Amino acid sequence: MLDTPEAVIEALRENHDRPHGPQRTVAAEELVEAAGQFEKPDVLVTALLELMTAYEFTGEYRKSPVVFGRLLRLWDESPEEFSEWEAHQVYWRFKWVAASLLDVPEVPLTSIRGWIDETLRRYERAGHGMQPVAAMRYHVAAHTGAGVADAYDLWITRPRTELSDCEACETRHLAAYRMNGGDDAGALDTLRPVLDEAIGCTEEPQVSQALALGALLRSGRLDEARSHHLTGYRRVRGNTGMQAWVGRHLEFCVLSRNEGRGLEILAENRPLFEATGAPLAHLDFLTGVELLLARIVEDGHVDTVVAGPPGRSWTADELLAHVRAEADRLTAAFDARNGTTAVGDRRRERLSQRPLLDAPLPLGLRTSVARPATAAPVTAPATAAPAVAIPEDFVTLVREARRMASAGHPGDARLWTRIAERLADGSAVHDDVLGPRELLRAELAEQRAGELTMAERHDEATVEARRAAELYERLGMPWQALSTRARALAWMNPPADGDAEQAGGAEQAGDAEQAGGAERLDSDGIRDALDELLREAEQLCTEVPFTGEALGAAEAAACDDLEQERKLAYLTVCYARTYAAYQELGRGGPEASPGALERFERCVRALHTEAERLSVPHQLANARQFVADLAGRHGDLVRAEESLRAALKDLEAAGRPWRCPRPRALLAQILMARERPREAVELLHEAIADAVRYDDADFPMAPTYAMLGHAVSHLGDHAAAVRHLSEAAARFDQSGASEEAADVRLQLVDVLMRTGQHADAVAVLESLVAEEAAAALDERMVAQARLMLARGLRELEEFLPSAEEFLRLADAVSGWEDDAPIQTMVTADTAIALALADRWDAAGTAYERALAVHAQAPNPSLLRHMMCEFARLVMNAQGMEGLETALRHLADADALAASVPEGTEGFAPWFERGTVHYRRGRVLAEAERFEEALAELEAAVAAHEQGGEEGESARAEAVRIAALIEGGALRRFEEAIARLTTAVARCQKAGLAEAGQILDALRQDYVSRLAESR
């Protein structure tokens, strides 16, 4: 019942603790009504201020001035009913009203200027400085575009007062002025203290982060742009009072070519379409929406379903028309009110922007809403050359494809694709100089087989390869037929052990018939068939030697260097045998049979010998790579490195630099294992650059970027690690490898958290545990991500969301009977999170649940930590009233430690005892029971001494608190100085420089205070 002033004040206090939103606003309106029933207006003053705050922070600018008018009348009638803080708020909120009036186009400029004049008069009567009034006039000038420079000078040259905007907000306005003048660098320099969070407020840094995004992209500061988008968007999403800045994040998505991310943001902010209480902010939001949708429609996706105003479904072109009409109306209203074109000019300038990057900026996020078109390739190295040129003339096109294929150049794939397209659409005119038409059919079938192999569609690849081989045989090209059949066998995926009995059965025969006659052979069958092909190749060497004449028009047309082509075909058979043996060895895993190993080594030696005899260095390089791989598997990293370096020299000798990316990446992997990350980084950069330069679409870019991120993190270049891991995740997404993408994102989160970028990490994790993303992942990976998210939110002091994540995690792991200790950990963490969120009833339930789970799956160290944390949090929440409860938790921790059998893994008795003594000392000190506190801390020091070197850091912290009590509370400076002197020496000896400096600073302070007291 809200029938007493005390009840209304308590309700106001509770409402003030709620997050801004409709629930808080409606409650504030009801409390104003309740406060109006009392004779004294003091409660009504508080209620009106609370309601005005609710309107301000939810963007209800039309309503805010009405509330202030009522408040101002009370101030004029009964100023004595206002507390000192409330009196200050009256003058402070004159500025809020000025901003609200400017935001509403129906309010004439004369009324706004009249309000500013009224503010001036009241400030003068109260003795306040004029800088805030000058700031109001500047904001009007900046909005209308009239007299901006003069208004800026009048504002900036006046000294700040206690009623000036907070330093962070004022800094943002200064930066915006420079940005509007085209000085991005100066604007970003101005914003630096806000972006670094050296200064801030309830609106900052999130508003400045959104403001800076475009300038950061234009300045090439992409890492900062990524970070400020990730962290800044989390702070503004769904907030009606921040809708203008949500619009800036949508703009960022267009400029950074992340339109899919933009569509996702749109879906998360549908209520903002109906948030019309702040028309200028709404126009800013709609402009960001319009820019995004115009980009989507321009790319041809007019029918893409997008999120718009609730109540109906929207396509991109429908929503664009709706948004454009509403934004045009608002723009016209503002420009008509202002008598200038400034608002329209700013909108047109924003809408004229084009993407600033050639490819999407990897954000590290898993975006659930993707553009339906094929996205541009993820950013390639700036040094990369353009992709392979595609000749228009068909004869030239085919000849160039054949030349590149013969040289093993990966760029031939793009040319063969174009050849197939032109044959399909009828635009190709065949010329007899290209040989028989069947020759192109064979070559295209061979190319398709390669593509299907890379897509791991082995059975289909085998069918295409055999089709190509048959065509080559009919064309009188036995060497090409032989090499193609060898590749088909090497690529064949043998049936699993459980399918072996059916390999020749009716079902398999039916599959083979459907696939064009490609029966499935087991490993023995593949091995025997390849051996037979090698015998055929050796026989062919005598019948159709390498140096012989062309066997017909087809071979003559296909081969510029007939001798080299036949050598390559022969070595392809040798390579295929080696590759099949390599695959068989890999399927055997660590327990591969000696026979498989012996065959592999025999095949490798044969390939090496024949490549060397025939002077084909790139096949020699292949043999060395096989050797390196086997050596690496067996831990012989020195031999692996030597073989790969030799392979790279072979490729250099062969004049085939496009074959170098893979051995470079493998060598980098070996060097990482040998703890030489700097060399690995250089090799990985070279591998990526060459793969792009030579258009190697099959190069494993995603794993390579992941390895590069891992390598640079070892060098301490964490910004580069974030960049490369984000790139890797985006590339795994593109290939549909969701598990691999999630694993890389967890690595990315680890880097972000280790470098203190918790907000960035949380943004990545939120995208990872989103419902659609999580559904595609292993439940344990999702649980790991949710655990990291819960802990990340806790680091950000978002305690309630953290607790909610812990509760979801606890529910997810509750059925993991094979991993019960995980349940203990999660339940204990959940209890702590609920306590941090001030949900004590739920925390108590989780606490008891943790004890029960611990009884089934003991984790004593974790339970001890929970008990100590509860002791700390109870004192924080209840003060002296919580003392007995806190001490009871610590007594439980003592009992728990005493019950743990000696030698229990993961439980160091000295550390556990020392930690409990330390926490009890802190609790007793807060209760001003200093002698008892000092005794507990000395016990903590003694316990940590038993840990030797491992205990030195914790010992130093216990000494610090003991000295603070001894000198600060008990005024025993000499004893404290002696304690600290000994501790500083111990820290220096233990290599704890920072701890020693902290203790020495405290010691010097006590020395000075002791001297002053004498």
Side-chain angles (χ1 to χ4, degrees):
M1 295 291 291
L2 300 175
D3 52 2
T4 66
E6 292 76 17
V8 175
I9 288 293
E10 180 59 29
L12 284 167
R13 185 177 295 112
E14 291 178 2
N15 196 45
H16 184 78
D17 290 337
R18 292 191 178 108
H20 287 291
Q23 183 182 6
R24 177 169 172 175
T25 301
V26 169
E29 290 172 337
E30 293 172 349
L31 289 169
V32 166
E33 292 299 317
Q37 66 183 300
F38 308 121
E39 183 177 350
K40 288 189 65 177
D42 56 338
V43 178
L44 180 58
V45 167
T46 305
L48 288 169
L49 285 167
E50 173 63 27
L51 178 57
M52 190 177 181
T53 299
Y55 285 152
E56 179 72 17
F57 286 96
T58 53
E60 293 287 353
Y61 289 174
R62 283 190 169 94
K63 298 178 180 180
S64 185
V66 176
V67 177
F68 188 73
R70 190 174 174 187
L71 188 68
L72 194 57
R73 285 194 297 273
L74 289 172
W75 169 253
D76 289 338
E77 294 168 2
S78 308
E80 70 281 358
E81 299 296 340
F82 288 68
S83 69
E84 183 178 349
W85 179 84
E86 290 168 340
H88 176 80
Q89 285 298 302
V90 170
Y91 288 104
W92 183 268
R93 297 189 187 199
F94 271 92
K95 300 181 300 176
W96 288 13
V97 173
S100 295
L101 295 175
L102 192 63
D103 208 282
V104 179
E106 295 87 45
V107 179
L109 280 181
T110 53
S111 298
I112 298 170
R113 291 183 173 125
W115 178 256
I116 295 174
D117 290 340
E118 174 66 13
T119 305
L120 174 63
R121 287 190 292 271
R122 288 189 178 257
Y123 276 27
E124 285 179 334
R125 286 202 303 267
H128 293 300
M130 292 300 106
Q131 195 259 14
V133 178
M136 293 183 208
R137 288 178 172 154
Y138 164 72
H139 295 320
V140 172
H143 171 71
T144 61
V148 179
D150 289 342
Y152 178 82
D153 289 340
L154 286 172
W155 165 46
I156 204 63
T157 54
R158 292 179 181 271
R160 285 175 50 80
T161 76
E162 64 175 0
L163 291 175
S164 295
D165 283 345
C166 82
E167 187 179 359
C169 289
E170 194 163 90
T171 298
R172 179 182 76 247
H173 293 308
L174 294 171
Y177 177 80
R178 303 190 74 167
M179 201 175 291
N180 292 336
D183 183 8
D184 282 342
L188 293 172
D189 284 345
T190 301
L191 280 177
R192 180 52 53 202
V194 186
L195 297 178
D196 289 346
E197 301 192 40
I199 54 176
C201 66
T202 55
E203 293 185 351
E204 294 294 355
Q206 59 265 36
V207 174
S208 289
Q209 287 176 311
L211 177 67
L213 291 173
L216 289 168
L217 288 175
R218 289 189 293 271
S219 302
R221 293 159 64 170
L222 304 185
D223 292 340
E224 293 173 77
R226 176 195 300 108
S227 178
H228 289 308
H229 169 65
L230 293 180
T231 61
Y233 173 67
R234 288 190 70 252
R235 291 164 164 158
V236 302
R237 67 182 172 198
N239 186 337
T240 54
M242 289 283 168
Q243 61 175 309
W245 308 107
V246 174
R248 294 292 180 137
H249 284 278
L250 290 170
E251 181 178 304
F252 164 83
C253 291
V254 174
L255 300 182
S256 66
R257 299 188 72 99
N258 277 287
E259 292 90 343
R261 166 71 169 164
L263 292 176
E264 188 172 72
I265 289 175
L266 208 59
E268 291 177 339
N269 290 276
R270 291 189 78 176
L272 299 189
F273 285 102
E274 299 178 319
T276 58
L280 186 60
H282 193 56
L283 176 60
D284 283 339
F285 167 68
L286 293 177
T287 301
V289 176
E290 185 178 351
L291 181 63
L292 172 66
L293 294 174
R295 177 71 184 164
I296 299 295
V297 170
E298 181 183 336
D299 283 353
H301 312 305
V302 295
D303 295 326
T304 297
V305 176
V306 296
R312 57 160 289 187
S313 61
W314 298 86
T315 61
D317 62 332
E318 290 171 342
L319 184 58
L320 176 60
H322 172 81
V323 166
R324 184 170 285 160
E326 178 64 11
D328 283 343
R329 183 188 68 77
L330 286 172
T331 301
F334 277 112
D335 283 348
R337 190 272 303 271
N338 299 337
T340 68
T341 61
V343 172
D345 291 343
R346 284 193 290 272
R347 175 169 170 249
R348 284 184 286 274
E349 183 178 356
R350 286 180 67 188
L351 292 175
S352 68
Q353 296 178 101
R354 309 292 297 173
L356 297 172
L357 306 178
D358 294 332
L361 173 66
L363 301 176
L365 301 175
R366 195 277 185 187
T367 303
S368 61
V369 180
R371 291 176 62 188
T374 301
V378 182
T379 310
T383 57
V388 172
I390 300 179
E392 284 296 322
D393 178 69
F394 189 69
V395 171
T396 305
L397 174 62
V398 173
R399 282 178 167 171
E400 182 63 8
R402 287 171 177 169
R403 184 192 68 79
M404 296 179 76
S406 177
H409 194 300
D412 74 322
R414 191 184 299 273
L415 303 187
W416 288 117
T417 299
R418 182 58 183 151
I419 290 167
E421 290 171 350
R422 293 193 60 178
L423 288 171
D425 65 21
S427 65
V429 178
H430 187 78
D431 193 305
D432 289 342
V433 299
L434 298 176
R437 292 177 183 271
E438 291 294 287
L439 175 58
L440 265 183
R441 285 184 57 202
E443 291 167 323
L444 289 171
E446 187 177 7
Q447 178 65 21
R448 283 195 300 274
E451 293 172 356
L452 290 165
T453 299
M454 294 308 299
E456 297 186 1
R457 293 160 61 181
H458 299 289
D459 290 346
E460 296 170 78
T462 300
V463 170
E464 287 293 333
R466 288 185 172 182
R467 181 175 294 127
E470 291 168 3
L471 287 168
Y472 283 133
E473 285 172 350
R474 289 206 299 264
L475 287 164
M477 301 175 70
W479 278 114
Q480 286 79 359
L482 194 64
S483 64
T484 305
R485 284 161 55 202
R487 278 197 294 267
L489 285 165
W491 293 337
M492 187 175 289
N493 191 27
D497 291 341
D499 298 332
E501 293 181 6
Q502 299 182 28
E507 183 179 342
Q508 298 297 71
D511 290 344
E513 183 179 351
Q514 187 176 13
E519 73 278 4
R520 303 251 326 259
L521 301 177
D522 61 14
S523 296
D524 291 341
I526 293 172
R527 184 167 58 246
D528 293 343
L530 283 167
D531 287 344
E532 177 59 32
L533 281 185
L534 180 60
R535 286 190 287 273
E536 289 183 30
E538 290 168 345
Q539 177 65 29
L540 194 59
C541 285
T542 61
E543 297 174 357
V544 185
F546 298 146
T547 56
E549 297 295 325
L551 294 179
E555 192 175 38
C559 308
D560 289 338
D561 186 340
L562 190 61
E563 179 181 354
Q564 185 69 7
E565 288 299 321
R566 289 175 176 176
K567 286 181 181 179
L568 293 178
Y570 170 71
L571 288 173
T572 296
V573 177
C574 296
Y575 176 85
R577 289 177 72 245
T578 309
Y579 181 76
Y582 168 78
Q583 292 290 89
E584 184 178 354
L585 193 64
R587 286 191 292 272
E591 304 301 323
S593 68
L597 178 60
E598 181 183 349
R599 175 177 175 77
F600 172 73
E601 291 177 337
R602 186 170 63 251
C603 289
V604 168
R605 282 195 301 271
L607 176 61
H608 186 286
T609 300
E610 292 301 281
E612 197 167 42
R613 178 178 69 83
L614 297 173
S615 299
V616 181
H618 76 270
Q619 284 288 13
L620 189 59
N622 285 336
R624 296 191 199 277
Q625 288 180 68
F626 281 124
V627 169
D629 185 86
L630 183 63
R633 290 186 187 187
H634 288 82
D636 190 350
L637 302 182
V638 173
R639 187 184 183 198
E641 180 182 348
E642 290 173 350
S643 295
L644 288 167
R645 291 194 185 280
L648 287 168
K649 288 182 180 179
D650 291 332
L651 292 172
E652 183 180 347
R656 296 191 174 201
W658 45 84
R659 300 289 294 271
C660 290
R662 284 171 178 77
R664 280 202 181 103
L666 290 171
L667 178 55
Q669 192 171 358
I670 296 297
L671 292 173
M672 283 297 297
R674 300 192 69 186
E675 299 183 358
R676 290 155 62 185
R678 192 171 302 280
E679 297 171 71
V681 166
E682 184 178 347
L683 284 165
L684 290 167
H685 277 301
E686 290 177 10
I688 290 169
D690 279 350
V692 174
R693 179 178 294 113
Y694 298 116
D695 202 19
D696 189 350
D698 295 329
F699 181 74
M701 281 287 193
T704 305
Y705 269 111
M707 197 191 317
L708 180 57
H710 182 61
V712 296
S713 69
H714 278 262
L715 298 178
D717 189 350
H718 300 300
V722 170
R723 186 161 58 249
H724 299 316
L725 291 171
S726 298
E727 182 95 30
R731 289 181 178 272
F732 276 126
D733 283 341
Q734 288 173 351
S735 63
S738 55
E739 292 279 351
E740 291 84 349
D743 182 66
V744 168
R745 287 193 169 94
L746 292 178
Q747 295 177 48
L748 171 60
V749 166
D750 180 64
V751 173
L752 291 169
M753 286 188 165
R754 282 192 285 111
T755 54
Q757 300 176 75
H758 296 287
D760 298 55
V762 162
V764 174
L765 288 165
E766 285 177 334
S767 76
L768 199 53
V769 303
E771 184 175 353
E772 183 178 338
L777 302 177
D778 175 76
E779 64 172 359
R780 291 181 182 268
M781 181 176 283
V782 175
Q784 176 64 34
R786 203 173 290 285
L787 175 63
M788 296 170 79
L789 174 57
R791 289 174 173 172
L793 289 166
R794 186 172 62 197
E795 287 292 331
L796 296 177
E797 298 185 0
E798 298 180 27
F799 296 128
L800 186 55
S802 172
E804 290 169 349
E805 286 299 330
F806 272 120
L807 287 168
R808 292 188 187 98
L809 179 61
D811 182 61
V813 305
S814 61
W816 292 8
E817 296 181 1
D818 61 328
D819 205 351
I822 292 291
Q823 297 181 40
T824 308
M825 177 194 72
V826 171
T827 311
D829 268 339
T830 302
I832 295 169
L834 288 164
L836 284 166
D838 204 27
R839 299 296 193 269
W840 284 98
D841 289 343
T845 300
Y847 186 100
E848 295 301 322
R849 171 65 180 157
L851 295 178
V853 175
H854 167 73
Q856 302 300 317
N859 194 329
S861 184
L862 195 76
L863 262 289
R864 189 274 312 152
H865 173 70
M866 179 187 73
M867 293 166 175
C868 287
E869 274 294 280
F870 263 67
R872 179 181 71 84
L873 294 172
V874 164
M875 291 299 293
N876 287 350
Q878 301 177 23
M880 284 295 295
E881 293 181 5
L883 177 61
E884 293 307 316
T885 302
L887 292 175
R888 188 164 59 251
H889 284 306
L890 293 170
D892 290 344
D894 280 332
L896 175 70
S899 70
V900 177
E902 188 172 346
T904 297
E905 184 179 357
F907 190 86
W910 62 267
F911 176 77
E912 305 296 341
R913 288 197 310 272
T915 302
V916 177
H917 283 304
Y918 171 82
R919 179 51 56 196
R920 187 179 288 110
R922 295 291 299 262
V923 166
L924 291 167
E926 288 181 52
E928 299 185 0
R929 290 163 57 173
F930 298 119
E931 294 290 357
E932 296 171 78
L934 184 59
E936 286 293 328
L937 287 157
E938 287 176 337
V941 170
H944 288 308
E945 281 181 352
Q946 295 175 18
E949 291 184 4
E950 292 183 42
E952 285 296 329
S953 180
R955 181 190 185 281
E957 169 60 12
V959 168
R960 184 180 73 86
I961 301 300
L964 284 172
I965 294 171
E966 203 164 31
L970 300 175
R971 313 295 290 178
R972 299 174 189 166
F973 293 124
E974 292 182 351
E975 291 89 337
I977 291 167
R979 184 190 299 275
L980 289 166
T981 301
T982 302
V984 168
R986 284 188 70 127
C987 287
Q988 291 171 344
K989 184 177 179 180
L992 301 173
E994 185 178 356
Q997 290 170 4
I998 292 170
L999 295 177
D1000 192 51
L1002 182 58
R1003 186 188 67 82
Q1004 292 179 35
D1005 177 53
Y1006 284 166
V1007 168
S1008 298
R1009 291 167 67 178
L1010 179 61
E1012 290 171 2
S1013 67
R1014 288 177 174 172

